């Protein structure tokens, strides 16, 4: 249900929550993982094993890669017109989803702010054209447009702080705060429990993972070819460049650059690819 350093809250099949520690040194478990536990005390247990994941949404910082959520079926990226969302962060969330071949949706929140939302919708048109469904709503007024998309799925909500993610969760899970309170109590510590992802059940078959708001989204865990593959419109050009190890930046005979020049690929997308590719190259001097 949630991870707090090496402490985890695990929900048993009967719905009760236990405070758990992993056996040994492992600390790579994440919200959404399915585990087998052995009870050590009335409200404590040891995690004995972890089931193989069907997916893991990764994010890196300078030191290591982290799993934001495991076993999700789709990623919902929450954006808004006020404050204006960061397109770079949106692209990075979509890349992380694509890398795991997860369905990704864009949620434009705060549409009660009409002027700002019109501008945001315009910026989002490109992503709609690329095939990412765009759901528009106001968490202040009504989150029901989300419900059909969440049904039968395990969804993770990601997004820049301030876009209204908490408000969306509160509207979808009215007793979220009560549940967080219970978890904090189980952990015996309230404070840092607000900074981790956590899972809620919407109904028997629909689950929602809320992740902490972010300002940056590192992708250092990707290779360059994974990065190019995470841009759906670049996939058909795989293998079409003159050099097999083309980075699609300055190489002669690059099919992707040619497609940009011919207007077949949106220049904004190639620039976004390049910015991330250059960042990856910086971390790995052997590519430079
Ligand atoms: P988070 O950082 O993404 O979790 O964002 P919050 O849920 O804390 O919301 C950030 C701010 O946006 C708060 O002041 C909310 O009241 C406001 N907000 C959230 N949803 C809406 C909405 O649908 N409309 C408007 N106008 N404001 C909203
Ligand atoms: Zn190329």
């Amino acid at each position: 249900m949630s991870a707090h350093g090496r402490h985890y809250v695990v929900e048993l099949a009967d719905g009760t929550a236990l405070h758990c520690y992993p056996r040994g040194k492992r600390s790579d478990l994440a919200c959404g993982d399915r585990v087998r536990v052995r009870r050590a005390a009335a409200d404590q247990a040891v995690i004995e094993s972890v089931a193989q994941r069907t997916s893991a949404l990764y994010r890196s910082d300078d030191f290591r890669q982290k799993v934001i959520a495991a076993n999700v079926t789709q990623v919902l990226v929450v954006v808004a017109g006020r404050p204006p969302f960061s397109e770079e962060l949106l692209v990075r969330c979509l890349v992380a989803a694509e890398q795991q071949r997860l369905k990704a949706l864009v949620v434009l929140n705060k549409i009660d702010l009409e002027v700002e939302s019109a501008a945001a919708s315009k910026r989002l048109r490109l992503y709609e054209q690329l095939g990412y469904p765009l759901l528009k709503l106001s968490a202040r007024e009504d989150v029901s447009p989300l419900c059909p998309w969440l049904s039968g799925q395990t969804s993770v909500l990601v997004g820049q702080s301030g876009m209204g993610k908490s408000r969306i969760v509160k509207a979808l899970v009215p007793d979220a705060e009560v549940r967080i309170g219970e978890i904090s109590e189980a952990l015996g510590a309230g404070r840092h429990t607000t900074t981790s992802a956590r899972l809620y059940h919407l109904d028997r078959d629909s689950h929602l993972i809320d992740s902490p708001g972010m300002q940056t989204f590192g992708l250092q865990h990707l290779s360059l070819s994974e990065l190019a593959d995470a841009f759906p419109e670049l996939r058909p050009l795989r293998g079409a460049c003159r050099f097999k190890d083309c980075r699609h930046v300055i190489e002669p005979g690059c099919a992707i650059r040619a497609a940009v020049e011919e207007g077949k690929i949106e220049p904004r997308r190639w620039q976004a690819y390049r910015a991330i590719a250059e960042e990856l190259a910086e971390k790995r001097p052997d590519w430079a």
Side-chain angles (χ1 to χ4, degrees):
M1 304 301 282
S2 62
H4 314 267
R6 278 176 48 76
H7 303 200
Y8 300 91
V9 177
V10 173
E11 184 189 49
L12 303 182
D14 68 6
T16 55
L18 282 182
H19 180 195
C20 296
Y21 296 91
R23 185 173 291 295
K25 287 211 187 315
R26 74 177 297 173
S27 61
D28 55 344
L29 303 177
C31 189
D33 263 322
R34 286 188 249 285
V35 297
R36 218 168 253 293
V37 301
R38 183 182 301 275
R39 204 183 282 263
D43 60 348
Q44 273 198 18
V46 175
I47 297 171
E48 297 278 350
S49 63
V50 186
Q52 194 175 359
R53 290 171 178 153
T54 57
S55 71
L57 187 68
Y58 289 99
R59 172 183 175 202
S60 309
D61 60 22
D62 286 340
F63 308 102
R64 61 192 185 106
Q65 68 181 49
K66 298 176 199 169
V67 180
I68 298 173
N71 298 314
V72 299
T73 58
Q74 63 183 13
V75 179
L76 273 63
V77 189
V78 182
V79 298
R82 189 166 81 198
F85 70 90
S86 151
E87 192 162 337
E88 184 189 342
L89 202 64
L90 167 64
V91 168
R92 286 167 178 265
C93 292
L94 295 175
V95 163
E98 291 282 354
Q99 192 254 338
Q100 289 285 307
R101 293 294 184 268
L102 287 166
K103 199 164 33 147
L105 296 84
V106 181
V107 178
L108 175 60
N109 184 30
K110 311 195 193 184
I111 56 165
D112 53 293
L113 306 171
E114 286 172 22
V115 177
E116 294 91 334
S117 299
S121 294
K122 218 165 146 190
R123 293 170 71 203
L124 291 169
R125 209 164 291 152
L126 168 61
Y127 301 91
E128 280 185 279
Q129 286 160 0
L130 289 169
Y132 299 109
L134 175 62
L135 314 182
K136 301 181 182 184
L137 56 89
S138 163
R140 191 168 273 185
E141 289 164 2
D142 181 19
V143 289
S144 63
L146 263 183
C147 296
W149 295 88
L150 298 176
S151 177
Q153 304 283 338
T154 299
S155 312
V156 59
L157 285 177
V158 297
Q160 189 182 342
S161 319
M163 299 290 106
K165 212 159 47 59
S166 314
R167 187 105 182 203
I168 292 173
V169 173
K170 257 179 239 162
L172 289 168
V173 191
D175 64 343
E177 264 167 26
V178 177
R179 295 198 217 170
I180 289 171
E182 282 167 5
I183 285 175
S184 308
E185 217 171 282
L187 282 175
R191 250 178 322 122
H192 69 265
T193 56
T194 53
T195 60
S196 89
R198 84 187 53 244
L199 185 146
Y200 303 97
H201 304 299
L202 299 173
D203 60 46
R204 242 189 59 189
D205 308 310
S206 317
H207 314 282
L208 183 70
I209 294 181
D210 182 23
S211 73
M214 49 181 81
Q215 296 299 349
T216 59
F217 197 116
L219 291 167
Q220 282 89 344
H221 54 282
L222 265 67
S223 68
L224 268 187
S225 65
E226 281 176 319
L227 176 64
D229 262 359
F231 285 71
E233 72 273 42
L234 302 187
R235 278 180 210 148
L237 293 170
R238 191 188 308 170
C241 302
R242 184 181 307 164
F243 301 114
K244 231 179 103 190
D245 59 351
C246 186
R247 291 172 303 168
H248 324 304
V249 180
I250 49 159
E251 291 79 358
C254 174
I256 288 176
R257 258 183 37 215
V260 174
E261 275 154 28
E262 287 162 24
K264 291 178 185 154
I265 285 171
E266 177 64 41
R268 253 155 90 200
R269 291 284 285 170
W270 183 55
Q271 281 152 14
Y273 164 83
R274 265 179 42 194
I276 302 171
E278 275 159 16
E279 184 185 294
L280 298 186
E282 255 171 51
K283 305 276 169 187
R284 291 175 228 184
D286 49 312
W287 286 350

